[in-house]
Protein backbone atom coordinates (compact mmCIF):
# COMPACT_ATOMS: atom_id res chain seq x y z
CA UNK A 1 0.00 0.00 0.00
CA UNK A 2 1.18 3.52 -0.73
CA UNK A 3 1.36 6.02 2.06
CA UNK A 4 -0.72 9.20 1.95
CA UNK A 5 0.40 11.98 -0.35
CA UNK A 6 1.60 15.35 0.82
CA UNK A 7 0.56 18.54 -0.99
CA UNK A 8 3.72 18.34 -3.05
CA UNK A 9 2.69 14.95 -4.36
CA UNK A 10 5.29 12.97 -2.43
CA UNK A 11 4.29 10.27 -0.01
CA UNK A 12 4.37 11.09 3.69
CA UNK A 13 7.50 9.78 5.43
CA UNK A 14 5.67 7.05 7.33
CA UNK A 15 8.33 4.45 6.55
CA UNK A 16 11.28 3.85 4.27
CA UNK A 17 9.09 1.65 2.09
CA UNK A 18 6.65 4.51 1.60
CA UNK A 19 9.31 7.08 0.70
CA UNK A 20 9.35 8.04 -2.99
CA UNK A 21 12.28 7.14 -5.19
CA UNK A 22 14.66 10.08 -5.53
CA UNK A 23 15.89 10.30 -9.11
CA UNK A 24 18.71 12.64 -10.18
CA UNK A 25 19.13 13.07 -13.95
CA UNK A 26 22.57 14.42 -14.86
CA UNK A 27 23.45 15.66 -18.32
CA UNK A 28 23.12 18.28 -21.01
CA UNK A 29 20.46 19.32 -23.54
CA UNK A 30 19.51 15.72 -24.22
CA UNK A 31 18.60 15.29 -20.55
CA UNK A 32 16.86 18.62 -19.95
CA UNK A 33 14.86 17.96 -23.12
CA UNK A 34 15.87 20.78 -25.44
CA UNK A 35 13.64 20.54 -28.49
CA UNK A 36 10.71 18.97 -26.65
CA UNK A 37 7.39 20.80 -26.62
CA UNK A 38 7.36 20.88 -22.81
CA UNK A 39 9.54 19.68 -19.90
CA UNK A 40 7.13 16.79 -19.37
CA UNK A 41 8.16 15.40 -22.78
CA UNK A 42 11.84 15.05 -21.81
CA UNK A 43 12.77 11.42 -21.33
CA UNK A 44 13.71 11.76 -17.62
CA UNK A 45 10.26 13.20 -16.93
CA UNK A 46 8.60 10.30 -18.72
CA UNK A 47 10.69 7.73 -16.85
CA UNK A 48 10.24 9.46 -13.49
CA UNK A 49 6.47 9.50 -13.91
CA UNK A 50 6.42 5.78 -14.61
CA UNK A 51 8.70 5.12 -11.64
CA UNK A 52 6.54 7.38 -9.44
CA UNK A 53 9.82 9.09 -8.55
CA UNK A 54 10.74 12.56 -7.34
CA UNK A 55 12.83 13.91 -10.21
CA UNK A 56 15.63 16.45 -9.92
CA UNK A 57 16.87 17.43 -13.37
CA UNK A 58 19.66 20.06 -13.26
CA UNK A 59 20.88 19.40 -16.82
CA UNK A 60 21.82 22.42 -18.91
CA UNK A 61 22.01 22.96 -22.65
CA UNK A 62 25.65 22.94 -23.81
CA UNK A 63 27.14 21.32 -20.72
CA UNK A 64 30.28 19.20 -21.01
CA UNK A 65 31.51 16.66 -18.48
CA UNK A 66 33.53 19.45 -16.85
CA UNK A 67 30.40 21.59 -16.42
CA UNK A 68 28.51 18.62 -14.99
CA UNK A 69 31.26 18.02 -12.43
CA UNK A 70 31.25 21.65 -11.35
CA UNK A 71 27.54 22.46 -11.43
CA UNK A 72 25.54 19.23 -11.14
CA UNK A 73 27.50 16.79 -8.99
CA UNK A 74 27.17 18.96 -5.84
CA UNK A 75 23.45 18.07 -5.89
CA UNK A 76 24.31 14.53 -4.85
CA UNK A 77 24.64 15.67 -1.25
CA UNK A 78 21.36 17.58 -1.27
CA UNK A 79 19.18 15.16 -3.22
CA UNK A 80 20.65 11.91 -1.87
CA UNK A 81 19.28 10.03 -4.87
CA UNK A 82 18.38 6.36 -5.07
CA UNK A 83 18.80 6.46 -8.85
CA UNK A 84 21.13 8.51 -11.04
CA UNK A 85 21.12 8.69 -14.84
CA UNK A 86 24.06 10.11 -16.76
CA UNK A 87 23.92 11.12 -20.42
CA UNK A 88 26.84 13.42 -21.17
CA UNK A 89 29.53 13.82 -23.80
CA UNK A 90 28.17 15.29 -27.00
CA UNK A 91 29.37 18.78 -26.07
CA UNK A 92 32.82 17.45 -25.15
CA UNK A 93 32.86 16.03 -28.66
CA UNK A 94 31.76 19.17 -30.51
CA UNK A 95 34.03 21.41 -28.42
CA UNK A 96 37.08 19.43 -29.47
CA UNK A 97 37.90 17.52 -26.31
CA UNK A 98 39.71 14.27 -27.02
CA UNK A 99 38.37 10.84 -26.09
CA UNK A 100 41.09 10.58 -23.43
CA UNK A 101 40.06 13.92 -21.92
CA UNK A 102 36.48 12.74 -21.95
CA UNK A 103 37.47 9.50 -20.25
CA UNK A 104 39.32 11.36 -17.49
CA UNK A 105 36.40 13.60 -16.56
CA UNK A 106 33.88 10.78 -16.99
CA UNK A 107 35.88 8.67 -14.53
CA UNK A 108 35.56 11.52 -12.04
CA UNK A 109 31.79 11.58 -12.50
CA UNK A 110 31.43 7.82 -12.27
CA UNK A 111 33.60 7.65 -9.17
CA UNK A 112 31.40 10.23 -7.43
CA UNK A 113 28.23 8.20 -8.04
CA UNK A 114 29.72 4.80 -7.23
CA UNK A 115 27.58 2.89 -4.76
CA UNK A 116 24.31 4.26 -6.17
CA UNK A 117 22.07 2.73 -8.79
CA UNK A 118 23.41 4.32 -11.96
CA UNK A 119 22.01 4.26 -15.49
CA UNK A 120 24.71 5.33 -17.93
CA UNK A 121 22.98 6.31 -21.18
CA UNK A 122 24.74 6.49 -24.54
CA UNK A 123 24.99 9.61 -26.67
CA UNK A 124 22.28 9.21 -29.32
CA UNK A 125 23.07 9.06 -33.01
CA UNK A 126 22.68 12.63 -34.26
CA UNK A 127 24.63 12.24 -37.51
CA UNK A 128 21.40 12.37 -39.53
CA UNK A 129 20.19 15.76 -38.28
CA UNK A 130 20.59 18.70 -40.70
CA UNK A 131 22.80 20.58 -38.23
CA UNK A 132 25.40 17.78 -38.31
CA UNK A 133 26.80 19.52 -41.39
CA UNK A 134 27.94 22.33 -39.10
CA UNK A 135 30.01 19.91 -37.00
CA UNK A 136 32.06 18.16 -39.65
CA UNK A 137 29.33 16.28 -41.48
CA UNK A 138 27.44 13.04 -40.87
CA UNK A 139 30.38 10.64 -41.22
CA UNK A 140 32.58 12.63 -38.84
CA UNK A 141 29.77 12.97 -36.29
CA UNK A 142 28.90 9.26 -36.48
CA UNK A 143 32.52 8.16 -36.11
CA UNK A 144 33.28 10.37 -33.10
CA UNK A 145 29.98 9.57 -31.40
CA UNK A 146 30.81 5.88 -31.65
CA UNK A 147 34.27 6.47 -30.14
CA UNK A 148 32.90 8.52 -27.24
CA UNK A 149 30.16 5.98 -26.57
CA UNK A 150 32.68 3.18 -26.40
CA UNK A 151 34.62 5.13 -23.77
CA UNK A 152 31.45 5.61 -21.72
CA UNK A 153 30.37 1.98 -22.15
CA UNK A 154 33.69 0.55 -20.99
CA UNK A 155 33.88 2.86 -17.97
CA UNK A 156 30.27 2.07 -17.03
CA UNK A 157 30.74 -1.68 -17.37
CA UNK A 158 33.93 -1.54 -15.29
CA UNK A 159 31.79 -0.23 -12.43
CA UNK A 160 28.84 -2.53 -13.09
CA UNK A 161 26.58 0.40 -13.92
CA UNK A 162 23.53 -0.16 -16.11
CA UNK A 163 24.65 0.69 -19.65
CA UNK A 164 21.70 1.74 -21.80
CA UNK A 165 22.39 2.16 -25.52
CA UNK A 166 19.81 4.38 -27.22
CA UNK A 167 21.56 4.43 -30.60
CA UNK A 168 18.98 2.30 -32.39
CA UNK A 169 16.11 4.14 -30.72
CA UNK A 170 17.51 7.47 -31.89
CA UNK A 171 17.47 6.20 -35.48
CA UNK A 172 14.15 4.35 -35.36
CA UNK A 173 11.93 7.19 -36.56
CA UNK A 174 14.17 9.10 -38.95
CA UNK A 175 12.00 11.03 -41.38
CA UNK A 176 8.85 10.83 -39.29
CA UNK A 177 6.96 13.83 -37.93
CA UNK A 178 8.25 15.18 -34.65
CA UNK A 179 11.51 13.26 -34.78
CA UNK A 180 13.76 16.32 -35.02
CA UNK A 181 13.02 19.67 -33.36
CA UNK A 182 12.64 22.89 -35.30
CA UNK A 183 16.24 23.85 -34.46
CA UNK A 184 17.33 21.06 -36.85
CA UNK A 185 19.60 19.65 -34.14
CA UNK A 186 17.79 18.35 -31.09
CA UNK A 187 15.22 15.57 -30.82
CA UNK A 188 11.52 16.25 -30.96
CA UNK A 189 8.84 14.76 -28.75
CA UNK A 190 8.62 11.52 -30.72
CA UNK A 191 12.32 10.80 -30.43
CA UNK A 192 12.48 11.56 -26.71
CA UNK A 193 9.52 9.20 -26.23
CA UNK A 194 11.38 6.45 -28.10
CA UNK A 195 14.42 6.89 -25.86
CA UNK A 196 12.20 6.80 -22.79
CA UNK A 197 10.79 3.42 -23.82
CA UNK A 198 14.26 1.88 -24.04
CA UNK A 199 15.44 3.44 -20.77
CA UNK A 200 12.24 2.56 -18.94
CA UNK A 201 12.50 -1.04 -20.11
CA UNK A 202 15.89 -1.30 -18.37
CA UNK A 203 14.89 0.56 -15.21
CA UNK A 204 11.39 -0.74 -14.57
CA UNK A 205 11.01 -2.40 -11.15
Amino acid sequence: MCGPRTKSGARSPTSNADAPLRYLALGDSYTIGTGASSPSRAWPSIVAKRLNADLTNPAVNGFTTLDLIREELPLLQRVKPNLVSILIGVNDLVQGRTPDQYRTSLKDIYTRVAGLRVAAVSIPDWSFVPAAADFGGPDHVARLTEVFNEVARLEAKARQFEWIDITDASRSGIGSAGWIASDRLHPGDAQYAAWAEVIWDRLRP
Side-chain angles (χ1 to χ4, degrees), residues 3 6 8 31 57 61 79 81 104 110 119 128 186 196:
T6 65
S8 66
T31 293
N57 187 342
N61 198 44
V79 175
T104 296
Y110 284 0
F128 58 87
H186 289 95

Coordinates of all heavy atoms in Angstrom, one line a residue, residues 3 6 8 31 57 61 79 81 104 110 119 128 186 196:
G3 N 1.7 5.1 1.0 CA 1.4 6.0 2.1 C 0.6 7.2 1.5 O 0.5 7.4 0.3
T6 N 1.5 14.0 0.3 CA 1.6 15.4 0.8 C 1.1 16.3 -0.3 O 0.8 15.9 -1.4 CB 3.0 15.7 1.2 OG1 3.8 15.7 0.0 CG2 3.6 14.7 2.2
S8 N 2.8 18.3 -2.0 CA 3.7 18.3 -3.1 C 3.6 17.1 -4.0 O 4.2 17.1 -5.0 CB 5.2 18.4 -2.5 OG 5.5 17.2 -1.8
T31 N 19.3 15.7 -21.8 CA 18.6 15.3 -20.5 C 17.6 16.3 -20.1 O 16.5 16.0 -19.6 CB 19.7 15.1 -19.4 OG1 20.5 13.9 -19.8 CG2 19.0 14.9 -18.1
N57 N 16.2 17.4 -12.1 CA 16.9 17.4 -13.4 C 17.6 18.8 -13.5 O 17.0 19.8 -14.0 CB 15.8 17.2 -14.5 CG 16.5 17.1 -15.9 OD1 17.6 17.4 -16.1 ND2 15.7 16.6 -16.8
N61 N 21.6 23.0 -21.2 CA 22.0 23.0 -22.7 C 23.5 23.4 -22.8 O 23.9 24.4 -22.3 CB 21.1 23.9 -23.4 CG 21.1 23.7 -24.9 OD1 21.0 22.6 -25.3 ND2 21.1 24.8 -25.7
V79 N 20.3 16.0 -2.8 CA 19.2 15.2 -3.2 C 19.2 13.8 -2.6 O 18.2 13.2 -2.3 CB 19.2 15.0 -4.8 CG1 18.1 14.1 -5.3 CG2 19.0 16.4 -5.4
P81 N 20.1 10.8 -4.0 CA 19.3 10.0 -4.9 C 19.4 8.5 -4.7 O 20.5 8.0 -4.2 CB 19.8 10.4 -6.3 CG 21.2 10.8 -6.0 CD 21.3 11.4 -4.7
T104 N 38.8 10.9 -18.8 CA 39.3 11.4 -17.5 C 38.2 12.0 -16.7 O 38.0 11.7 -15.5 CB 40.5 12.4 -17.7 OG1 41.6 11.7 -18.3 CG2 40.9 12.9 -16.4
Y110 N 31.8 9.2 -12.6 CA 31.4 7.8 -12.3 C 31.9 7.5 -10.9 O 31.2 6.7 -10.1 CB 32.0 6.8 -13.3 CG 31.2 6.8 -14.6 CD1 30.1 7.6 -14.8 CD2 31.6 5.9 -15.6 CE1 29.4 7.5 -16.1 CE2 30.9 5.8 -16.8 CZ 29.8 6.6 -17.0 OH 29.2 6.6 -18.2
A119 N 22.3 4.6 -14.1 CA 22.0 4.3 -15.5 C 22.9 5.2 -16.4 O 22.7 6.4 -16.4 CB 20.5 4.5 -15.8
F128 N 22.4 12.2 -38.5 CA 21.4 12.4 -39.5 C 20.7 13.7 -39.5 O 19.9 14.1 -40.4 CB 20.4 11.3 -39.5 CG 19.6 11.2 -38.2 CD1 18.5 11.9 -37.9 CD2 20.1 10.3 -37.2 CE1 17.8 11.9 -36.7 CE2 19.4 10.3 -35.9 CZ 18.3 11.0 -35.7
H186 N 18.2 19.1 -32.2 CA 17.8 18.3 -31.1 C 16.6 17.4 -31.4 O 15.9 17.7 -32.4 CB 17.4 19.3 -29.9 CG 18.6 19.9 -29.3 ND1 19.0 21.2 -29.7 CD2 19.5 19.5 -28.4 CE1 20.1 21.5 -29.0 NE2 20.4 20.5 -28.2
A196 N 12.8 7.1 -24.1 CA 12.2 6.8 -22.8 C 11.8 5.3 -22.7 O 11.9 4.7 -21.7 CB 11.0 7.7 -22.5

